[in-house]
Amino acid sequence: MTAAQRLPGIASPATGLLVYQTDPPIGFWFFNGTIWQQLAAFPLGQSSTTVAGTASITITPTTASTLIPGLTQTVTVPPNSVVNISTDGGLQSTSAATAGYSAIDIMLFVDGVVVTNGGFQRILALNSTGLVNVIAYWGMSESLTLSAGSHTIAVMTKGSNNGGSNATVGSDNTLVMRPQLTVTIISQ
């Protein structure tokens, strides 16, 4: 219907009446009991933000949990929302031996606590004959129901304590190992 058909065309609209207007401003309109309001005027609570790695770090087999540079976000979660967190990136073994390797752990943290049931991966970069300083990649995602309010999401790494060589984790925009962290909030 057109705006002229909606207003004043509907003399006594019922509260909650929903119509689609075909002329500008095009979209869904509903009557709130007092006035007509366009649905697009309401924030739906959806947002998505991606941050990228800002530098590489060297992780030894015994390095404790360390933030991957650039992979942290603080978000405000509205009530009744689901938060989807995803990350990917790379590491490179520093071993020049054909049988060398590097092993690291990648972990998702929310408010300083590792995400259980899927927020952890062990990544191995394994050299082979004729191929050294191998690059390996991670990728993981989690959908979480978090309480309303402010939450800090971070991606951390640590040595796996399984021997091997040091690993270069992440990078800035100059290398293919550049990691990213995407946080998407979906209102239910």
Side-chain angles (χ1 to χ4, degrees):
M1 76 179 358
T2 66
Q5 291 170 320
R6 178 177 57 83
L7 184 66
I10 303 174
S12 298
T15 298
L17 179 64
L18 181 67
V19 299
Y20 185 77
Q21 185 172 305
T22 57
D23 62 339
I26 296 171
F28 286 100
W29 290 77
F30 80 98
F31 189 72
N32 72 4
T34 306
I35 63 169
W36 286 97
Q37 292 185 302
Q38 189 173 21
L39 283 182
F42 289 88
L44 299 176
Q46 273 71 275
S47 68
S48 187
T49 306
T50 299
V51 293
T54 56
S56 61
I57 54 173
T58 299
I59 301 298
T60 71
T62 58
T63 299
S65 295
T66 304
L67 177 68
I68 298 174
L71 297 193
T72 185
Q73 293 189 46
T74 299
V75 297
T76 301
V77 177
N80 303 316
S81 297
V82 172
V83 179
N84 186 47
I85 304 166
S86 63
T87 181
D88 60 67
L91 69 110
Q92 184 171 28
S93 177
T94 61
S95 174
T98 57
Y101 71 96
S102 297
I104 64 159
D105 296 335
I106 299 291
M107 302 151 296
L108 289 176
F109 277 75
V110 176
D111 299 328
V113 177
V114 69
V115 174
T116 58
N117 299 324
F120 175 94
Q121 285 186 357
R122 176 152 295 157
I123 312 300
L124 300 171
L126 306 169
N127 293 344
S128 64
T129 303
L131 187 60
V132 297
N133 301 117
V134 169
I135 296 175
Y137 294 95
W138 76 85
M140 69 176 117
S141 64
E142 286 289 316
S143 292
L144 306 173
T145 302
L146 301 177
S147 61
S150 180
H151 296 279
T152 300
I153 316 292
V155 182
M156 301 187 77
T157 185
K158 69 176 186 156
S160 67
N161 290 316
N162 285 335
S165 296
N166 295 349
T168 302
V169 178
S171 71
D172 57 14
N173 64 353
T174 61
L175 297 173
V176 298
M177 301 177 314
R178 188 176 197 187
Q180 65 179 8
L181 167 64
T182 300
V183 178
T184 303
I185 300 170
I186 302 169
S187 180
Q188 293 184 320

